[in-house]
């Protein structure tokens, strides 16, 4: 094991860090278990990952993008349901990919299998240098804002206090994911139940009001006077963004127990729950608030709670903060596996595919986003970056689903335990490319900048990956980086 941390001593002997090797040469921890990622994601944990990531702060704070662009209450509910169905189509396509390509890594892995390493590296490059740090920073700042809001009411929270609370939140999520896969998954289940409880706090009183005859806001629900066909694509764009996150279970496929059954089942159950919750939450909002009040509100759930619950509304920001924390925890758990797989494929330094000898977590892959996310929180122009990158998400998801259709013809004999009708990936693929076109049409400058940032991955691929004969100074620097991090983090290559 050149350039690797010699953790084990002679066969069967315990080394200084508590690891040992068995007579067959496999590296074991102090309890005699192989050092690697176990299959710890059950059906319940899979559902909690998907729901926990999809439901963030948006449904509680500003579910008004759809109402604004659709033009009426009735059409907005149709869009919510339609986006749920389209997202289910995408999720079912990913379920097929997850059961026939049993590797972790999500988008990256499927693009690698269908279109080769260069396209996959460009995706990885865009994720690593811009998309993920910015996305993590945005949801973390929402956590920092809403966890402090009850303490400062009715005053505004100081921006530096928000950033410090955000930093604490990011650090705690990183620590949790570094220490234990099992506890990360357990806490994700608890946080997911908190989200569903928060939505229940809105849905139940709203339904009670509805059944008591509060239907005045639903009169002329499909009034077509304000409906503009030009606004409908933007309404669907907002809706698809609200449902984004259904693909994250595919990032951890190798850790899913019985993936042929668990992946499709978790995806279908999660999408049904999320769609029902989103639609019922919006019905509850419309029962208590008019369309004008919703569009004028800074935080719809808080306004709703103030109207119905009085002082109890102070708990809503806490629920929103917990919801954000769940999204942070679940997305970091999933994304670290993408970096882990990319390192295993040779697209990132070797240390990122190594496992902590005691905790059995991909420690380096978990921590890779930490410095860049912190930088974004304190000095970055995050929202501009997200504008650059929002279209890239749909471009690459469209490419992945196109890859599914491509693999149907190039690898017809690939085992497919779960197979969807061809029209499902075709419809979803067309939806993704339509959203990319919409981005180009509505904001060509930011979309062009985002595209240019992702294209910087092409020279990076040839410099760092493609050429076998790297400059000696670069190879020495990479070897030193791998060796130093491996020793500092106490990580070793996973036993297969």
């Amino acid at each position: 094991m050149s350039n690797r941390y010699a953790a084990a001593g002679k066969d069967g002997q315990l080394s200084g860090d508590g690891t040992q090797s068995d007579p067959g040469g496999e590296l074991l921890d102090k309890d005699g278990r192989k050092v690697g990622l176990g299959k710890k994601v059950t059906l319940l944990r899979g559902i909690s990952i998907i729901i926990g990531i999809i439901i963030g702060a948006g449904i509680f704070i500003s579910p008004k993008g759809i109402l604004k662009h659709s033009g009426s209450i009735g059409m907005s509910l149709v869009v919510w349901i339609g986006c749920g169905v389209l997202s289910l189509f995408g999720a079912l396509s990913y379920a097929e990919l997850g059961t026939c390509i049993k590797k972790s890594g999500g988008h990256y892995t499927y693009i690698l299998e269908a279109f080769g390493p260069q396209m996959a590296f460009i995706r990885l490059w865009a994720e690593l240098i811009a998309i993920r740090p910015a996305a993590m920073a945005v949801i973390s700042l929402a956590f920092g804002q809403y966890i402090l809001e009850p303490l400062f009411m009715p005053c505004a929270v100081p921006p530096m206090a928000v950033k410090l609370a955000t930093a604490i939140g990011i650090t705690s999520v990183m620590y949790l994911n570094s220490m234990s896969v099992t506890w990360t998954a357990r806490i994700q289940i608890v946080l997911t139940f908190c989200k569903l409880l928060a939505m229940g706090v809105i849905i139940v009183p709203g339904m009670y009001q509805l059944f008591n005859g509060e239907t005045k806001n639903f009169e002329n629900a499909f009034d077509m006077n304000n409906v503009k066909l030009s606004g409908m694509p933007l309404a669907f764009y907002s809706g698809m963004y609200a449902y984004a996150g259904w693909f994250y279970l595919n990032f951890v496929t190798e850790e899913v127990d019985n993936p042929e059954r668990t992946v499709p089942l978790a995806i279908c159950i999660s999408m049904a729950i999320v769609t029902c919750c989103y639609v019922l939450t919006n019905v509850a909002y419309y029962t208590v608030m008019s369309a004008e009040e919703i569009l004028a509100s800074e935080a719809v759930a808080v306004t709703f709670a103030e109207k119905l619950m009085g002082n109890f509304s102070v708990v809503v920001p806490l629920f929103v903060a917990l919801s954000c924390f769940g999204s942070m925890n679940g997305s970091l758990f999933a994304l670290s596996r993408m970096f882990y797989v990319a390192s295993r494929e040779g697209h990132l330094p070797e240390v990122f595919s190594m496992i902590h000898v005691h905790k059995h977590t991909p420690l380096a892959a978990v921590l890779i986003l930490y410095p860049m996310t912190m930088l974004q929180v304190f000095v970055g122009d995050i929202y501009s970056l997200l504008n650059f990158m929002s279209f890239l998400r749909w471009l690459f998801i469209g490419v992945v689903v196109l890859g599914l259709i491509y693999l149907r013809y190039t690898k017809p004999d690939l085992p497919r335990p779960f197979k969807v009708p061809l029209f499902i990936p075709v419809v979803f693929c067309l939806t993704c490319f339509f959203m990319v076109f919409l981005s180009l049409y509505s904001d060509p400058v930011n979309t062009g900048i985002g595209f240019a940032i992702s294209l910087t991955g092409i020279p990076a691929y040839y410099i760092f990956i493609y050429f076998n004969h790297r400059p000696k100074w670069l190879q020495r620097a990479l070897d030193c980086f791998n060796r130093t991090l491996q020793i500092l983090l106490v990580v070793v290559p996973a036993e297969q």
Side-chain angles (χ1 to χ4, degrees):
M1 284 203 295
S2 62
N3 294 333
R4 290 186 174 180
Y5 185 46
K10 293 179 182 177
D11 288 353
Q13 274 193 325
L14 199 68
S15 72
D17 65 356
T19 58
Q20 59 183 335
S21 60
D22 71 357
E26 287 188 336
L27 194 64
L28 308 175
D29 68 5
K30 60 186 178 183
D31 299 320
R33 298 174 300 167
K34 280 202 304 183
V35 175
L37 296 173
K39 288 188 174 288
K40 295 182 178 178
V41 180
T42 59
L43 178 61
L44 180 60
R45 288 174 179 177
I47 291 168
S48 74
I49 287 170
I50 298 171
I51 295 177
I53 295 173
I54 293 177
I55 302 174
I59 189 67
F60 300 107
I61 306 306
S62 58
K64 52 192 178 185
I66 292 176
L67 176 61
K68 179 181 174 183
H69 295 299
S70 61
S72 73
I73 285 175
M75 287 305 293
S76 73
L77 294 175
V78 169
V79 171
W80 277 107
I81 295 167
C83 289
V85 172
L86 280 172
S87 298
L88 178 62
F89 280 12
L92 290 172
S93 302
Y94 267 62
E96 177 178 322
L97 286 164
T99 54
C100 70
I101 301 171
K102 297 185 185 71
K103 291 182 184 177
S104 296
H107 317 310
Y108 167 81
T109 298
Y110 305 142
I111 293 174
L112 182 69
E113 292 289 325
F115 301 114
Q118 185 175 339
M119 181 79 87
F121 182 83
I122 291 169
R123 168 66 183 176
L124 176 72
W125 180 260
E127 291 268 346
L128 187 58
I129 66 167
I131 298 174
R132 290 304 160 189
M136 180 69 81
V138 166
I139 193 71
S140 304
L141 283 166
F143 165 79
Q145 174 72 35
Y146 287 98
I147 198 74
L148 293 178
E149 196 160 281
L151 300 177
F152 286 87
M153 280 183 172
C155 302
V157 185
M160 187 48 69
V162 171
K163 290 184 176 183
L164 290 173
T166 300
I168 293 168
I170 294 169
T171 305
S172 59
V173 165
M174 294 281 176
Y175 178 80
L176 176 62
N177 276 269
S178 301
M179 289 298 105
S180 170
V181 172
T182 303
W183 275 103
T184 300
R186 285 174 181 166
I187 287 172
Q188 187 65 17
I189 292 171
V190 172
L191 291 169
T192 300
F193 276 114
C194 286
K195 291 182 190 225
L196 295 176
L197 177 63
M199 298 189 94
V201 167
I202 294 167
I203 290 167
V204 172
M207 292 300 106
Y208 178 77
Q209 294 288 321
L210 186 66
F211 292 128
N212 273 356
E214 285 289 334
T215 58
K216 64 178 182 295
N217 292 330
F218 292 97
E219 293 168 8
N220 301 318
F222 288 91
D223 181 11
M224 304 303 283
N225 290 332
N226 294 323
V227 176
K228 294 178 182 175
L229 284 178
S230 60
M232 292 307 289
L234 290 170
F236 268 93
Y237 194 94
S238 298
M240 294 299 286
Y241 186 83
Y243 281 99
W246 41 261
F247 40 76
Y248 277 107
L249 188 61
N250 295 67
F251 282 63
V252 297
T253 309
E254 291 170 27
E255 294 169 70
V256 175
D257 184 35
N258 189 11
E260 292 90 347
R261 172 183 174 272
T262 304
V263 171
L265 206 53
I267 282 171
C268 291
I269 293 170
S270 301
M271 291 311 297
I273 291 172
V274 171
T275 305
C276 288
C277 285
Y278 274 4
V279 173
L280 290 175
T281 301
N282 277 280
V283 169
Y285 287 153
Y286 295 143
T287 305
V288 175
M289 302 163 70
S290 67
E292 291 75 20
E293 286 175 312
I294 288 173
L295 291 172
S297 174
E298 287 294 316
V300 177
V302 175
T303 309
F304 174 92
E306 284 170 351
K307 276 182 166 265
L308 276 192
M309 306 169 197
N311 291 334
F312 184 69
S313 63
V314 76
V315 304
V316 172
L318 294 177
F319 275 132
V320 175
L322 286 174
S323 184
C324 294
F325 194 83
S327 294
M328 292 157 63
N329 185 54
S331 56
L332 180 64
F333 177 74
L335 288 166
S336 61
R337 274 52 177 181
M338 180 179 69
F339 300 129
Y340 170 81
V341 172
S343 171
R344 201 170 61 190
E345 297 289 342
H347 284 174
L348 285 175
E350 187 182 19
V351 70
F352 293 110
S353 61
M354 296 185 188
I355 306 296
H356 192 276
V357 293
H358 304 311
K359 307 296 182 186
H360 295 246
T361 57
L363 188 56
V366 169
L367 296 176
I368 190 172
L369 286 177
Y370 187 67
M372 293 185 72
T373 305
M374 285 299 206
L375 198 67
Q376 292 280 9
V377 166
F378 284 97
V379 300
D381 186 3
I382 302 161
Y383 295 98
S384 295
L385 201 54
L386 275 187
N387 287 338
F388 298 156
M389 294 299 163
S390 60
F391 92 103
L392 281 179
R393 164 186 274 174
W394 298 111
L395 174 64
F396 282 113
I397 290 174
V399 168
V400 169
V401 178
L402 187 65
L404 181 153
I405 300 165
Y406 179 68
L407 288 172
R408 287 273 186 100
Y409 292 99
T410 56
K411 295 183 180 178
D413 299 326
L414 195 68
R416 292 177 172 86
F418 180 83
K419 191 173 180 179
V420 294
L422 192 59
F423 82 90
I424 286 179
V426 168
V427 169
F428 186 75
C429 193
L430 290 172
T431 302
C432 287
F433 290 128
F434 172 72
M435 291 171 73
V436 170
F437 172 77
L438 189 67
S439 291
L440 282 166
Y441 176 75
S442 62
D443 193 358
V445 175
N446 280 337
T447 303
I449 293 170
F451 198 63
I453 290 172
S454 65
L455 288 180
T456 60
I458 296 175
Y461 174 76
Y462 284 101
I463 293 167
F464 295 111
I465 310 297
Y466 186 76
F467 295 123
N468 289 325
H469 302 292
R470 293 174 183 146
K472 285 186 178 179
W473 64 268
L474 180 60
Q475 191 59 53
R476 277 199 302 270
L478 285 171
D479 289 344
C480 181
F481 176 79
N482 277 322
R483 200 163 46 244
T484 304
L485 263 189
Q486 195 179 351
I487 292 167
L488 285 173
L489 298 178
V490 198
V491 291
V492 292
E495 290 293 343
Q496 300 301 319

